[in-house]
Amino acid sequence: MSVVIERLEGMVNRYHEITELMMTTEVMSDPKQLAKLGREQADLSQVVETYSEYKQVLQNIEEAKALLQEDDKEIKEMAELEIAAGEEKIPRLLEKLELLLIPKDPNDAHNAIVEIRGAAGGDEGNIFAGDLYRMYTKYAESHGLKVETIEMDDCEAGGFSLVSFMIKGDGAYGAFKFESGSHRVQRVPKTESQGRIHTSTATVLVSPEIEPEDFDIDINDLEIETMRASGAGGQHVNRTDSAVRIVHKPTGIVVKCQDGRSQHENRATAMMTIRSRVYEEHQRKLEEAEGAKRRSKIGTGDRAEKIRTYNYPQNRVTDHRIGYNVNQLDRIMEGRLDDLFQALQSADQQAKLAGEKA
C-alpha cells in the first residue's frame, strides 16, 4: 500500500506543479504547451479529487475515534455513526482509486481519424458502411464533437466504398478506439425480392491524430502526387489538380484527400492522416514484437477481426469481444452508443487491472 500512496502523492505534487507552470509567462505564451499541460492536469484531476476525499474520510474516522473517549453519550453515538459511515466509504474509494491508477492510453484525449470501407456483400456492404458513418456522426454531434470529411467515395446504390473523416474534440479517440475491426450486418437488402436475409460486412479503422513533434515521419519514405478530384464538387474541384494522394512506401499505406478547398489544405490533411496511420502501424508492430495485445485493449483492432453483429430481424446488436447483447439496434443506429461504449471501456479497464495483478 505504501507504494500506491507514494504514487498518489507524486500525482498530487505533479498536479500542483502543473498549476504553477501554467501561470508562468513562458507557458502562457505557448498555446501548444499550455494545451498539453492542461490535458495532463485534466487527466490527473479525478485521481487528485478522489485521493483527497479518501484522506479526508480517514481523518474524519481518526477524529471520531478520539471522541469515543468522551463521557457524553450523544457525542459517542455521533462518533460511532461517523466511523461507520467512513468505513463504509473506504472500500468504494479504494476501488475507484485502483481503477483510476490503471495506466491510460496517452492518445485518448486526441482527435480520432476514422476510416470505414464497404467489404463483403457488394452494394449492401457499401450501404452498411454509410449506415455506420451516419451512426458515428450522430453520436459525435450529440456529444459536442465535430466531424470533418477527409475522403468520401460514394456508391450509386447508396453508402460508400470508402469514407474517412476526423472526429474533433477532447476524448474523441478514447471514445471511438474500440470500433476498429469488422462489423457484420444481417438483414434483408432492399434489392432482395425473395425477402432472404443476407450477411454483409464493413470494416472500421480508428487512429489517433498524432502531432508532428510526437511522431516523425521521413519525407523520403513518401510518394506524393496531385490529381484532379473526382466526384461531386463543382467547378473548382473538377478544373484544378487539388486532390492529393500520399503513399508511405515502407508500409504501403495510402491516403487520398480531395475535400479541402485547396491543394495546400488537402496536402496538410493527407499528411496528418498518413502520419496517424503509420504511427498506428508502428505501434502495432512494436507490441506484436513484445507479444502483447495492441495497447492492451479489447481485441487487436485488426480489420479482419469480427467485433460486432447488427441483426436487423431481431433488432439485436452483439459485441463478440465482451459478450454484450442488447435488443436496441434501432436506438444504436441512431447514434445512442453510450451504454455500449461504456461497457467496452469498463471491460478494458478490468482486463488491464487483471493484467496488473497477475
Side-chain angles (χ1 to χ4, degrees):
M1 189 67 184
S2 60
V3 176
V4 175
I5 296 298
E6 192 177 318
R7 187 177 166 195
L8 287 165
E9 289 291 344
M11 294 171 89
V12 171
N13 292 337
R14 177 58 180 165
Y15 181 89
H16 294 309
E17 182 187 354
I18 291 170
T19 301
E20 291 177 12
L21 283 169
M22 289 175 76
M23 290 190 290
T24 63
T25 308
E26 185 183 348
V27 171
M28 288 178 74
S29 60
D30 184 347
K32 281 193 174 180
Q33 181 71 357
L34 191 64
K36 189 176 180 180
L37 287 170
R39 285 196 298 268
E40 186 184 350
Q41 190 176 57
D43 286 341
L44 290 170
S45 62
Q46 204 174 356
V47 177
V48 171
E49 287 167 13
T50 306
Y51 181 49
S52 176
E53 185 182 352
Y54 169 74
K55 288 199 295 184
Q56 185 61 56
V57 171
L58 286 180
Q59 185 180 325
N60 291 346
I61 290 173
E62 289 305 309
E63 289 174 356
K65 283 180 178 177
L67 292 175
L68 291 176
Q69 309 305 316
E70 297 287 333
D71 293 329
D72 191 304
K73 186 180 177 183
E74 284 189 10
I75 290 177
K76 278 187 174 182
E77 286 176 355
M78 285 176 64
E80 285 169 358
L81 288 171
E82 182 72 33
I83 292 167
E87 288 178 344
E88 189 180 331
K89 283 180 183 178
I90 290 294
R92 177 180 58 80
L93 290 169
L94 285 173
E95 185 181 349
K96 188 176 179 181
L97 282 170
E98 191 175 40
L99 288 173
L100 288 170
L101 285 174
I102 295 170
K104 289 185 179 177
D105 185 338
N107 295 318
D108 278 356
H110 291 206
N111 296 330
I113 298 170
V114 184
E115 178 186 292
I116 308 173
R117 291 179 181 270
D123 287 343
E124 180 62 15
N126 294 334
I127 291 168
F128 182 51
D131 293 338
L132 291 177
Y133 171 68
R134 179 175 174 272
M135 176 182 79
Y136 291 143
T137 300
K138 279 183 167 288
Y139 173 86
E141 289 172 350
S142 69
H143 287 75
L145 303 170
K146 188 178 178 183
V147 177
E148 291 183 2
T149 304
I150 294 171
E151 184 181 359
M152 190 177 276
D153 288 341
D154 301 305
C155 292
E156 285 186 19
F160 310 98
S161 59
L162 163 68
V163 57
S164 62
F165 51 100
M166 179 182 283
I167 302 172
K168 287 187 168 183
D170 189 39
Y173 179 69
F176 282 88
K177 66 180 180 179
F178 299 119
E179 293 306 289
S180 289
S182 179
H183 295 241
R184 181 174 69 171
V185 63
Q186 294 173 329
R187 64 186 177 191
V188 179
K190 292 176 183 176
T191 54
E192 174 56 61
S193 58
Q194 303 299 316
R196 291 176 297 186
I197 295 171
H198 285 224
T199 298
S200 306
T201 60
T203 61
V204 177
L205 182 63
V206 183
S207 306
E209 181 190 10
I210 301 298
E211 296 293 336
E213 58 267 27
D214 293 332
F215 183 72
D216 185 38
I217 193 165
D218 190 344
I219 196 71
N220 295 315
D221 287 340
L222 302 178
E223 184 180 292
I224 304 173
E225 59 180 322
T226 58
M227 64 195 73
R228 200 155 295 180
S230 59
Q235 292 180 345
H236 169 75
V237 168
N238 295 327
R239 292 183 182 179
T240 63
D241 291 340
S242 59
V244 175
R245 181 176 179 269
I246 301 179
V247 181
H248 184 253
K249 290 179 281 187
T251 61
I253 293 171
V254 181
V255 167
K256 181 184 171 187
C257 187
Q258 67 175 39
D259 278 18
R261 301 180 69 88
S262 66
Q263 185 186 117
H264 177 76
E265 189 177 320
N266 283 328
R267 184 187 175 103
T269 303
M271 279 297 296
M272 172 269 297
T273 308
I274 201 92
R275 184 183 301 108
S276 295
R277 292 275 188 261
V278 174
Y279 169 84
E280 189 82 346
E281 180 64 13
H282 176 73
Q283 292 298 107
R284 185 188 67 78
K285 285 185 176 177
L286 276 179
E287 289 169 11
E288 200 174 71
E290 292 167 5
K293 281 189 175 181
R294 189 174 175 191
R295 287 187 306 278
S296 302
K297 74 181 185 184
I298 300 161
T300 63
D302 201 307
R303 282 187 194 275
E305 183 192 6
K306 183 184 73 179
I307 64 167
R308 195 174 301 145
T309 296
Y310 303 74
N311 186 302
Y312 274 74
Q314 296 177 23
N315 194 38
R316 186 180 69 234
V317 172
T318 302
D319 194 288
H320 305 288
R321 297 164 295 179
I322 59 173
Y324 181 91
N325 266 294
V326 63
N327 291 94
Q328 294 181 354
L329 173 62
D330 49 346
R331 288 170 55 84
I332 281 175
M333 295 312 292
E334 287 300 313
R336 299 179 186 180
L337 297 163
D338 294 274
D339 290 347
L340 174 56
F341 280 9
Q342 183 57 53
L344 287 163
Q345 287 162 0
S346 295
D348 185 57
Q349 284 183 331
Q350 292 303 323
K352 285 177 178 174
L353 192 57
E356 283 207 337
K357 287 179 176 177

